[in-house]
């Protein structure tokens, strides 16, 4: 048995377990740690697929920056689990379960023959080293890459604007008790 | 000068538009003067343009103005031939005199400039009708005349009766216009064009007395009957007396009502090959003449007598054009324009001098108070009664002679015309005797007085024409017939019989007219005034209840239909449908708002439902299952 | 097929990604804490990234990885804005539950 299969199974279980615990945990902090586990597992899968640079970014940006941001906001907003007890929207949970499993069944059903019967990948393919990825990124994909600059700038400005907006609202309504 | 003939229309039109916007600023005396001068200028341009025609053998010419409706084969161009030249001269000439008269009559009216706006519009409309060289142009003028008559009849719209009269004139005219319009459609379908040249040039290709030409001419007759106030659509004209008196004179003498006669005369090429229609025209004319003359006898209101008199005289004209005596018909139109305008303006002078009194039984003995009005009206009276050598004698007698000369059933129409002549002499004499002779029967406080110069001048001018206009077409010297000959060149026009017959007939009609006058003289002057009351007089005064009859049979059901349309079909049906659709949409929207829970997770659910459905559909379509 | 023949193909990753995506979807629909909903969305994005990388390897191209990088950028932008909104709402309403933000109810 290929060692890859063992690694895949272990980390697949870890990823699914992390995802499920994220969904089920009453405490948002626990959810965040579940997601963190899934992200680490996915980073492993990236390495298994030769995407070394992407795996590094996955850990640095997602597991590092984004999840830290999440935790920071959770702490800011406060951990409140009281309102998760009961569902107000009728049939929301059964519907969500049916739709989620329906989606899964459909996707698996659509791909089952090709996926299972596909020949195992023998060649190494092109490795996702920094050199290769940056060649590609700053060559063929330069323009979209530059466009992301605008996206991120807008996001930054928007975030500042939202913070300012909330501040102004608070001043206008007169409750500056913080 | 012929090339400038468009100015004849343009000047009054300019006056109408200019006064519409600037009338108030120009003010009272000047707006009337401007309007009057423009019409006088029109008259002189027309006169100069017509000068070559007086020499004889004037074929007429088309003056192209601009391309208008190429798909209908119609350009906006004018036709200047003897017939339209004569009509133009009558319209502008009499119209100008009425304008002059109006400056005096409307003196002090609060909407003085507006009045002359409408008058100019009326003249311009009538000139478009007369001068157009296609049925389409004529129809434009036709409708504009209808509009301006509506505006003028209901000029004093503060009076409910005036407003109602304007509405009535408009609605009744619409019935006629409807027939006219259908006639135009059939003409276009048959000839592929609406221009006179094409239509009349190809008229001889139609089967004589065939269904097509009969249908066209009968429908044209419907239009003419509406506009010229013939049976059964005459009811609007007596009510039109609610307008100011100059308007009555303008509508009844020079312009609107003669449009029907002009239209039939213009379409002579069609009518002359439709004997059935011509017979109907003559019969309608004769019956109208008699019927209206009888009603005129019973009227107490001086203007209503003249209104019914107009209807009756128009009946003569219809009789003439029905008998294919187009020249005689147009001749009577011409003389009638003079003496009837004179009668109306004279009556207006009387009313003016009597401070608005219109009931003849409250007049009497006015000849000494208003010598000019009296003198001129005597001329008109003798003219309309058919006493030689005044104008009415020549024209009416020619019509009667031609009708008699056609023989057969036409003799019966001649007899009707003769009886009408006697009645005409009688009711006109009644009017004159009650108004100017006898003892004063005025209400207290009324001081009859002569009218200002601006009103008496037109009276005198018209009196001259009413006395002398007949001489342009006597049996001795038929100048008008010669003048109009080119217009009816290819049509068989009926002529008066030869020999001794016309003289005998003329003698008979003069005797009959004198008889009518004599009876009236004995009844209203030499004896004590009779009391004209009781059932029979009421019946005649009310015009045999035709208005009531129309009211019950047409207006009431029409109102019922309108009310049911407004309050049942519209309020419940249409509104119900609209509200129902609106309500259904609202209920649907209310149902849809259930989806708008404001719960973002519900929206998410819906989104995923859609995503799952799309994937499933794609897979099923791709044959995965 | 015996156990020794067993090898990890792209199909495995795709099946796993489908499972993670479905779990993310269920989490999005069932949790009402806006933060957890955001985490569910991040999970779904990650599962899609996984398929990009796996399929990119299958097709011997780097474009799958490039796509993943772009998704990460967009996700980062989205997270900053989303979290800013959550913070702004919380300062105003003192709650992070989306169920109480239903002013737009029809």
């Amino acid at each position: 048995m290929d060692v890859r299969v063992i690694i895949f199974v272990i980390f697949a279980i870890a990823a699914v377990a992390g995802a499920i615990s994220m969904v089920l945990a009453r405490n948002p902090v626990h959810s965040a740690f579940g997601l963190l586990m899934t992200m680490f597992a996915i980073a492993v899968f990236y390495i298994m697929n030769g995407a070394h640079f992407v795996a590094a970014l996955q850990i640095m940006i997602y597991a590092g920056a984004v999840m830290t941001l999440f935790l920071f906001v959770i702490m800011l907003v406060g951990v409140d689990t009281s309102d998760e007890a009961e569902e107000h929207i009728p049939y929301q949970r059964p519907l969500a379960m049916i739709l989620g499993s329906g989606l899964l069944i459909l996707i698996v059903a659509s791909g089952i023959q090709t996926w299972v019967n596909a020949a195992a990948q023998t060649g190494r393919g092109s490795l996702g080293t920094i050199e290769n990825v940056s060649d590609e990124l700053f060559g063929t994909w330069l323009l979209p890459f530059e466009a992301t600059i605008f996206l991120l700038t807008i996001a930054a400005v928007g975030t500042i604007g939202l913070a300012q907006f909330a501040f102004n609202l608070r001043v206008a309504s007169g409750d500056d008790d913080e | 000068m012929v090339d400038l003939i468009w100015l004849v229309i343009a000047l009054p039109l300019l006056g109408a538009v200019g006064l519409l916007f600037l009338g108030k600023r120009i003010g009272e005396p000047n707006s009337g003067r401007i309007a009057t001068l423009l019409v006088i200028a029109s008259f002189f341009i027309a006169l100069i343009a017509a000068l070559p025609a007086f020499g004889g053998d004037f074929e007429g010419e088309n003056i192209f103005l601009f391309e208008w409706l190429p798909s209908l084969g119609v350009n906006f161009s004018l036709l200047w031939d003897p017939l339209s030249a004569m009509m133009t001269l009558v319209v502008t000439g009499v119209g100008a005199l009425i304008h002059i008269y109006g400056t005096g009559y409307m003196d002090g009216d609060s909407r003085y400039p507006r009045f002359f706006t409408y008058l100019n519009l009326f003249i311009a409309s009538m000139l478009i009708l007369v001068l157009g060289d296609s049925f389409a142009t004529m129809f434009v003028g036709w409708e504009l005349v209808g509009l301006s008559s509506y505006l003028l009849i209901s000029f004093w719209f503060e009076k409910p009766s005036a407003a109602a009269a304007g509405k009535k004139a408009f609605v009744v005219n619409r019935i006629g216009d409807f027939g006219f319009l259908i006639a135009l459609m059939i003409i276009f379908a048959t000839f592929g064009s609406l221009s006179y040249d094409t239509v009349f040039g190809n008229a001889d290709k139609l089967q004589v007395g065939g269904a097509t030409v009969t249908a066209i001419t009968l429908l044209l007759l419907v239009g003419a009957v509406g506009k010229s106030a013939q049976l059964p659509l005459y009811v609007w004209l007596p009510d039109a007396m609610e307008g100011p008196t100059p308007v009555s004179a303008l509508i009844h003498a020079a312009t609107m009502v003669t449009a029907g006669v002009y239209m039939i005369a213009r379409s002579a090429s069609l009518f002359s090959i439709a004997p059935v229609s011509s017979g109907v025209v003559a019969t309608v004319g004769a019956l109208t003449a008699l019927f209206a003359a009888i009603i005129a006898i019973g009227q107490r209101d001086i203007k209503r007598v003249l209104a019914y008199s107009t209807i009756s005289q128009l009946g003569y004209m219809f009789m003439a054009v029905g008998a294919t005596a187009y020249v005689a018909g147009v001749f009577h139109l011409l003389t009638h324009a003079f003496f009837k305008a004179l009668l109306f303006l004279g009556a207006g002078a009387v009313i003016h001098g009597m401070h608005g009194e219109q009931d003849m039984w409250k007049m009497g003995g006015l000849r000494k108070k208003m010598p000019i009005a009296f003198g001129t009206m005597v001329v008109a009276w003798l003219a309309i009664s058919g006493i030689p050598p005044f104008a009415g004698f020549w024209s009416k007698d020619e019509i009667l002679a031609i009708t008699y000369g056609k023989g057969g059933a036409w003799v019966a129409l001649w007899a009707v015309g003769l009886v009408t002549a006697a009645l005409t002499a009688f009711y006109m004499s009644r009017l004159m005797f009650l108004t100017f002779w006898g003892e004063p029967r005025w209400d207290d406080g009324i001081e009859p007085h002569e009218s200002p110069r601006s009103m008496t001048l037109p009276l005198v001018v018209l009196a001259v024409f009413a006395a002398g206009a007949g001489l342009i077409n006597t049996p001795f010297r038929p100048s008008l017939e010669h003048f109009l000959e080119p217009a009816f060149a290819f049509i068989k026009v009926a002529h008066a019989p030869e020999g001794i017959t016309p003289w005998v007939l003329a003698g008979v009609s003069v005797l009959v007219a004198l008889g009518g006058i004599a009876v009236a003289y004995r009844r209203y002057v030499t004896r004590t005034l009779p009391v004209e009351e009781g059932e029979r007089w009421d019946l005649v005064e009310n015009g045999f209840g035709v208005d009531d009859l129309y009211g019950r049979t047409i207006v009431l059901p029409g109102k019922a239909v309108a009310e049911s349309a407004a309050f049942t079909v519209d309020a419940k049906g249409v509104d119900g449908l609209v509200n129902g659709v609106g309500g259904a949409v609202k209920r649907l929207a209310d149902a849809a708002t259930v989806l708008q829970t404001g719960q973002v997770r519900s929206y998410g659910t819906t989104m995923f439902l859609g995503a799952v459905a799309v994937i499933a559909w794609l897979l099923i379509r791709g044959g995965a299952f | 097929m015996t156990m020794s023949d067993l090898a990890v193909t792209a199909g495995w990753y795709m099946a796993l990604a489908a499972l993670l995506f479905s779990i993310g979807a269920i989490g999005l629909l069932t949790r009402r804490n806006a933060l957890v909903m955001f985490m569910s969305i991040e999970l779904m994005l990650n599962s899609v990234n996984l398929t990009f990388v796996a399929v990119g390897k299958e097709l011997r191209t780097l474009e799958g990885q490039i796509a993943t990088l772009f998704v990460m950028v967009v996700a980062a932008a989205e997270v900053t804005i989303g979290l800013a909104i959550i913070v702004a709402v919380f300062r105003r309403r003192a709650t992070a539950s989306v169920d109480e933000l239903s002013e737009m109810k029809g």
Side-chain angles (χ1 to χ4, degrees), chain B residues 8-31:
Chain B
V8 173
I9 298 175
L11 289 178
L13 200 60
L14 177 77
V17 175
L19 287 178
L20 180 64
F21 292 109
L22 301 173
K24 271 200 174 143
R25 188 165 302 174
I26 294 172
E28 174 158 337
N30 284 334
S31 54

Side-chain angles (χ1 to χ4, degrees), chain B residues 215-285:
Chain B
I216 292 173
T217 46
L218 281 179
L219 286 164
L220 285 177
L221 173 65
V222 172
V225 159
K227 200 60 89 186
S228 288
Q230 297 293 293
L231 278 175
L233 297 179
Y234 70 91
V235 288
W236 65 270
L237 202 145
D239 285 16
M241 294 303 120
E242 291 290 344
T245 302
V247 172
S248 308
L250 197 59
I251 293 177
H252 300 152
T255 54
M256 184 167 171
V257 291
T258 59
V261 180
Y262 169 76
M263 187 247 271
I264 294 178
R266 178 57 81 194
S267 316
S269 303
L270 298 173
F271 277 92
S272 61
I273 55 171
V276 177
S277 305
S278 289
V280 173
V281 172
T283 311
V284 165

Side-chain angles (χ1 to χ4, degrees), chain A residues 1-2 4-5 8 12 15-16 19-20 22-26 28 31-32 35 38-39 42 45-46 48-51 53-54 57-58 62 66 69-70 73-74 76-77 80 83-84 86-89 92-93 96-97 99-100 103-104 107 115 118-121 123-128 132-133 136-137 141 144-145 148 151-152 155 158-159 162-163 166-167 169-170 173 178, chain C residues 1 3-16 18-36 38-43 45-47 49-50 53-55 57-63 65-66 68-81 83-92 94-100:
Chain A
M1 192 186 290
D2 191 355
R4 288 162 177 271
V5 177
F8 178 85
V16 173
I20 289 174
M22 183 207 80
V23 172
L24 291 182
R26 300 277 294 275
S31 294
L35 183 59
T38 308
M39 282 176 171
I42 287 175
F45 294 137
Y46 286 163
M48 286 171 71
N49 281 288
F53 178 60
V54 176
L57 286 183
Q58 169 85 0
Y62 263 127
V66 171
L69 195 59
F70 264 108
V73 173
I74 289 168
L76 186 72
V77 169
D80 180 14
D83 62 336
E84 291 282 356
E86 61 181 88
E87 179 60 63
H88 299 293
I89 306 172
Q92 181 72 10
R93 276 178 188 165
M97 296 306 293
L99 284 176
L103 203 60
L104 180 65
I107 295 171
W115 295 349
Q121 195 58 52
R124 284 190 57 79
S126 25
L127 266 180
N132 290 344
V133 171
E136 187 84 356
L137 198 59
W141 301 96
F145 179 78
T148 59
L151 180 71
L152 290 171
T159 309
L162 274 167
F167 176 76
L169 267 180
R170 204 159 53 87
S173 57
E178 230 178 280
Chain C
M1 185 182 287
M3 287 293 276
S4 58
D5 294 333
L6 212 55
V8 181
T9 64
W12 294 42
Y13 292 107
M14 296 181 73
L16 176 66
L19 184 60
L20 290 175
F21 188 89
S22 299
I23 292 169
I26 291 169
L28 182 70
L29 296 184
T30 52
R31 294 302 297 263
R32 76 192 75 172
N33 188 319
L35 287 159
V36 181
F38 254 104
M39 291 181 210
S40 302
I41 292 172
E42 294 303 322
L43 178 62
L45 287 170
N46 267 287
S47 72
N49 282 349
L50 183 57
V53 171
V55 173
K57 191 191 176 205
E58 180 80 13
L59 298 176
R60 295 164 187 275
T61 170
L62 278 175
E63 281 168 9
Q65 296 181 29
I66 302 293
T68 302
L69 287 175
F70 282 122
V71 171
M72 278 183 183
V73 172
V74 173
E78 174 233 333
V79 162
T80 49
I81 294 287
L83 290 178
I85 290 174
I86 289 171
V87 170
V89 168
F90 179 79
R91 284 163 93 172
R92 182 102 189 113
T95 181
S97 167
V98 293
D99 281 16
E100 298 186 18

Side-chain angles (χ1 to χ4, degrees), chain B residues 593-594 596-601 603-606 608, chain C residues 25 29-32 37 44 98-99 101-102 105-106:
Chain B
T593 55
V594 173
Q596 294 291 320
T597 54
Q599 300 291 353
V600 71
R601 293 184 302 136
Y603 303 160
T605 312
T606 318
F608 273 104
Chain C
L29 296 184
T30 52
R31 294 302 297 263
R32 76 192 75 172
M37 288 171 77
M44 287 156 79
V98 293
D99 281 16
L101 306 174
S102 57
K105 186 176 183 343

